[in-house]
Amino acid sequence: MPEGDVVWLTARRLHEALAGRPLTRAQFRVPRLATADLRGRTVLEVVSRGKHLLIRVEGGLTIHSHLLMEGRWQIRPAGPMPRDHRVRVVLANTERQAVGQSLGLVELLRTAEEDAAVGHLGPDLLDPGWDGGLAAQAVARLEEQPSRAIGEALLDQTRLAGIGNVYKAEVLFLRGVHPWTPVSDVPDLPALVELAHRLLDANKARHGHVTTGDLGRGREHWVYGRAGRPCRRCGTRVERAPQPSDVGDRTAFWCPRCQPAR
């Protein structure tokens, strides 16, 4: 599932391609929206909210989509309709065409009612107002469930929005925290949340999640995807195990020496 920085970058590229121009094509290939017609309406803006995408159009309407595991939006020059069974949405103007493939969720909402779709989310790690109190809100939401394993809590989008399995593993390694540590036992929880924000913010404008500072292929991560291989810091074998999340089990990665169990 794409992390919050990938969704943020997708929103920016959709905004650049569509915002400020009327739609010449707006086709929904999902049964409940088959008759929806947004042609002629101007796209006002495209924003991300955690892992959700909101395309706001003239007339107080919002196209809400979620990529889930396999979805993606592609930006192409304006042209013929794509012939691909995976396509769920096509939005185009005279210059660009945005094609949503394998989207896990597509719905058309009134903009005034967006909270029905995303109001349950915790503070967005890439919200422009992060430094205005959202960090403290995210910490408070995590602390509401003190006995919950921190690795599980970080993936709960109602606590804070945007972290996926990559950043969960990397943030916990960098803070020296075992994935099954109860939230109440995490040393300096605000610092852990702030590190998550900094990592997503540093990666939001590029492809890939680099947490080591090394852009070389295969050297981007400390422990994520490195089970059975030596820890980059101490040489201990990196472990892995399934850990629950709000969207099913995910694999936790950790170094037993750098992240000792408490």
Side-chain angles (χ1 to χ4, degrees), residues 2 15 27 34 49 85 99 101 124 146 151 207 209 217:
H15 182 88
Q27 185 183 75
R49 181 77 168 83
H85 71 277
V99 179
Q101 293 183 346
D124 185 344
H207 287 292
H209 317 292
R217 186 173 181 179

Side-chain angles (χ1 to χ4, degrees), residues 25-231:
R25 178 180 294 156
Q27 185 183 75
F28 296 91
R29 298 181 184 177
V30 291
R32 66 183 177 278
L33 297 177
T35 60
D37 188 359
L38 302 182
R39 288 176 298 175
R41 297 178 187 250
T42 297
V43 175
L44 303 178
E45 63 179 343
V46 184
V47 299
S48 62
R49 181 77 168 83
K51 299 181 182 183
H52 298 250
L53 282 163
L54 302 170
I55 303 173
R56 295 169 180 152
V57 302
E58 187 179 22
L61 295 175
T62 295
I63 303 164
H64 169 222
S65 67
H66 195 298
L67 304 180
L68 290 185
M69 295 299 293
E70 298 179 354
R72 62 175 177 168
W73 281 92
Q74 291 184 321
I75 308 299
R76 308 172 179 175
M81 284 289 292
R83 295 184 177 182
D84 188 328
H85 71 277
R86 297 171 299 173
V87 173
R88 296 293 176 267
V89 184
V90 180
L91 302 173
N93 52 47
T94 57
E95 298 177 9
R96 293 286 184 269
Q97 182 168 252
V99 179
Q101 293 183 346
S102 302
L103 302 177
L105 170 69
V106 180
E107 59 182 348
L108 188 61
L109 309 169
R110 293 191 179 278
T111 303
E113 298 173 356
E114 285 178 359
D115 273 359
V118 297
H120 66 288
L121 298 175
D124 185 344
L125 286 156
L126 292 177
D127 190 296
W130 177 259
D131 294 328
L134 292 181
Q137 291 180 32
V139 172
R141 288 206 179 198
L142 288 168
E143 290 176 335
E144 289 173 356
Q145 300 173 333
S147 63
R148 194 176 190 185
I150 185 62
E152 180 182 344
L154 289 177
L155 291 182
D156 184 345
Q157 302 300 297
T158 70
R159 304 300 96 194
L160 66 172
I163 292 181
N165 213 35
V166 176
Y167 285 116
K168 179 196 87 168
E170 297 297 284
V171 167
L172 292 179
F173 173 81
L174 289 167
R175 293 297 302 171
V177 178
H178 192 276
W180 275 268
T181 302
V183 169
S184 59
D185 291 345
V186 173
D188 202 348
L189 189 59
L192 185 150
V193 170
E194 184 57 30
L195 176 60
H197 161 69
R198 293 204 312 270
L199 288 177
L200 265 75
D201 190 63
N203 285 299
K204 68 183 183 182
R206 65 184 174 202
H207 287 292
H209 317 292
V210 180
T211 58
T212 61
D214 190 335
L215 298 176
R217 186 173 181 179
R219 300 196 295 269
E220 306 96 327
H221 305 139
W222 291 99
V223 292
Y224 177 79
R226 290 179 49 77
R229 301 172 67 184
C231 171

